Amino acid sequence: MKKTFRLLLIALAAIFITAACSRADQAADVAKKIQVGDTLTEAEYTTVIDYLGRFAEEAQPIQDQINNLPYGDAKATALQQQLDEIKSKNTYLELFQSTLGRTSQAQLGADNVALVNKYAGYEWFAAPDWATITTDPEAAGLEMTTPSSDSTGVVAAPQEELKVKTRL
């Protein structure tokens, strides 16, 4: 039983390593194609979008931590270093971002447009102008209210702290 379990673990590890290497090889092949000016297929655009999306998913939790720190907090430097490490591992970010940014929906195909829209809400996913960015309507943030007559009474505060003031 223990032998079977070990063999299963080794097989699973080999599959994951092979899949990771395969993705890296695909990204390298697509990057070469872009650099020589060849036209990409829809499957190659999927590789580009997946590459950028995986980076965005990995970077988002770190970026969220940075965003939640007060201005000037020393922890931001360490978190920024973590982001920089992730960026350095993803060598095709700039190339793929610029390629995706100048690609039309028609070139990508419907499935890839849906994939772009899936990742478009991530801060580190450079979505094209045509992308649909969906956000969580329940997310905490700032709510701005403006008076109907002038701008001297504009109130901006976190939603849970917002209190509407009326003038008499």
Side-chain angles (χ1 to χ4, degrees), residues 1 13 21 27 50 52 60 75 82 100 103 107-108 113 160:
M1 181 72 175
C21 291
D50 281 338
L52 295 172
Q60 191 64 51
K75 294 176 189 172
Q82 287 179 17
L100 184 60
T103 305
Q107 290 171 294
L108 291 180
V113 168
E160 60 273 0

Side-chain angles (χ1 to χ4, degrees), residues 26-36 40 48 92 95-96:
Q26 286 176 342
D29 292 343
V30 171
K32 287 177 189 172
K33 240 181 136 172
I34 293 168
Q35 290 166 339
V36 297
L40 300 182
V48 168
Y92 305 116
L95 178 65
F96 287 176

Side-chain angles (χ1 to χ4, degrees), residues 58-81:
E58 187 177 358
Q60 191 64 51
I62 298 168
Q63 186 63 54
D64 289 343
Q65 290 178 49
I66 292 170
N67 292 347
N68 289 323
L69 291 173
Y71 179 77
D73 193 309
K75 294 176 189 172
T77 303
L79 291 167
Q80 186 60 50
Q81 287 175 344

Side-chain angles (χ1 to χ4, degrees), residues 23 45-55 115 119 125:
R23 276 189 244 130
Y45 278 119
T46 302
T47 299
V48 168
I49 298 163
D50 281 338
Y51 185 93
L52 295 172
R54 280 192 306 276
F55 166 74
L115 194 55
Y119 292 123
F125 187 82

Side-chain angles (χ1 to χ4, degrees), residues 5-156:
F5 185 69
R6 285 183 192 163
L7 288 174
L8 179 63
L9 286 177
I10 291 170
L12 286 173
I15 290 169
F16 286 123
I17 290 170
T18 303
C21 291
S22 173
R23 276 189 244 130
D25 291 344
Q26 286 176 342
D29 292 343
V30 171
K32 287 177 189 172
K33 240 181 136 172
I34 293 168
Q35 290 166 339
V36 297
D38 288 347
T39 303
L40 300 182
T41 65
E42 284 187 23
E44 291 166 332
Y45 278 119
T46 302
T47 299
V48 168
I49 298 163
D50 281 338
Y51 185 93
L52 295 172
R54 280 192 306 276
F55 166 74
E57 286 177 330
E58 187 177 358
Q60 191 64 51
I62 298 168
Q63 186 63 54
D64 289 343
Q65 290 178 49
I66 292 170
N67 292 347
N68 289 323
L69 291 173
Y71 179 77
D73 193 309
K75 294 176 189 172
T77 303
L79 291 167
Q80 186 60 50
Q81 287 175 344
Q82 287 179 17
L83 266 179
D84 292 343
E85 287 174 21
I86 295 170
K87 286 183 208 175
S88 69
K89 291 178 193 172
N90 291 275
T91 55
Y92 305 116
L93 280 177
E94 289 182 26
L95 178 65
F96 287 176
Q97 286 171 343
S98 66
T99 299
L100 184 60
R102 63 178 179 268
T103 305
S104 70
Q105 293 180 28
Q107 290 171 294
L108 291 180
D111 290 341
N112 284 333
V113 168
L115 194 55
V116 165
N117 290 336
K118 171 188 166 190
Y119 292 123
Y122 288 96
E123 196 165 340
W124 281 99
F125 187 82
D129 292 338
W130 50 259
T132 303
I133 300 173
T134 51
T135 57
D136 181 3
E138 300 298 318
L142 295 179
E143 183 175 307
M144 308 256 328
T145 58
T146 58
S148 59
S149 59
D150 66 15
S151 62
T152 59
V154 175
V155 177

